[in-house]
Amino acid sequence: MASKTFAMKFFSMLISSFAIIQMAAAADPNILTGFIAPPNVTVDGNFFTFTGMRSLVGGGLPTAFKVSKAALAEFPALNGQSVSIAVLEFPAGSTNPPHIHPRSAELLFLIDGTLQVGFVDTTNKLFTQTLQTGDMFVFPKGLVHFQYNAAANAPAIAISAFGSANAGTVSIPNTLFNASIDDNVLALSFKTDVATIQHLKAGLAPKS
C-alpha cells in the first residue's frame, strides 16, 4: 500500500513538473488565423496602423528616462503576432534600472549616442558593453538587465524589439520596495536595518 501511495505521489509530481516546464517554455500562442481582431472593431488599414510614436518625431527630449511602447496594450493588432517594440529615450546621466522581461528576449538597437548596457546570467556573471551609435545588443529572455547613459551632456536613443506582443516588464527596485514586502524581510535579505529599507522605499515612492 505504501509503495502504491508513493507511486501515485511520484506520478503527480511528474505531471506537475511537465506542466511547469510547459509554462516556463511558453511564448505567445500560435494562432489559426492571419490576425486577431477584438469584437465589434472595424478591420481596415487603420486597425493595423499605430500612430502613438508620432510625438517622438521632432519632439524635445524628456528630462528623465522615458519608454514609449507599441505592445499589445497600446496596439491591439499585435495580438498573436509575437512582436512589439519600445523606444527608449535617455537624457544625459539617466538609467533604465535593472529589470526583466519574463516572456521575451530583447534586441536593442542604439540609434543615437552611447549607452552602457549589461545583464546578469543565472550564475551571477555580469556581461556588459558600451554601445556606440549603430550597435545592437541582445538581452536574453528573463534575465536581469539594465541600460545607462553615462554621458555628461549627450542624450541617447534606442529602439528595442521583442519576440512577444506582451513581453512584460518587472522592475527590480519597484518590485522589491514598492510591493508591500515586510520591511523586516527586506532588511534581513539585504543584511541591513529597517531604517535603511524605509529610506529606500521613500525614495522610490510614486511622486504625487
Side-chain angles (χ1 to χ4, degrees), residues 9 12 24 30 47-48 56 70 88 123 146 155 165 186 188 198 202:
K9 287 183 177 179
S12 297
N30 289 326
F47 176 71
F48 299 100
L56 300 178
L88 314 179
T123 68
F146 63 90
L186 292 172
L188 288 168
Q198 291 176 342

Side-chain angles (χ1 to χ4, degrees), residues 92-192:
S94 63
T95 184
N96 186 4
H99 61 282
I100 65 171
H101 302 295
R103 292 181 287 276
S104 176
E106 174 182 357
L107 181 61
L108 181 144
F109 174 43
L110 185 62
I111 61 175
D112 189 34
T114 61
L115 206 58
Q116 293 182 13
V117 300
F119 69 87
V120 180
D121 73 4
T122 55
T123 68
N124 283 335
K125 182 176 179 180
L126 174 65
F127 296 84
T128 62
Q129 185 63 273
T130 299
L131 303 181
Q132 307 296 321
T133 300
D135 291 349
M136 288 193 290
F137 191 87
V138 63
F139 302 101
K141 177 181 177 180
L143 295 184
V144 174
H145 59 282
F146 63 90
Q147 300 104 23
Y148 171 50
N149 179 10
N153 299 304
I157 302 175
I159 297 176
S160 286
F162 301 92
S164 169
N166 186 22
T169 299
V170 179
S171 168
I172 304 303
N174 283 334
T175 298
L176 290 174
F177 299 108
N178 275 338
S180 301
I181 298 175
D182 186 87
D183 291 348
N184 292 296
V185 172
L186 292 172
L188 288 168
S189 300
F190 286 94
K191 296 181 171 53
T192 186

Side-chain angles (χ1 to χ4, degrees), residues 12-26:
S12 297
M13 289 171 56
L14 191 62
I15 295 296
S16 298
S17 298
F18 279 123
I20 292 170
I21 290 170
Q22 287 297 316
M23 289 170 63

Side-chain angles (χ1 to χ4, degrees), residues 38-57:
N40 304 318
V41 169
T42 300
V43 177
D44 55 17
N46 292 319
F47 176 71
F48 299 100
T49 303
F50 181 72
T51 62
M53 301 292 185
R54 287 182 180 178
S55 61
L56 300 178
V57 180

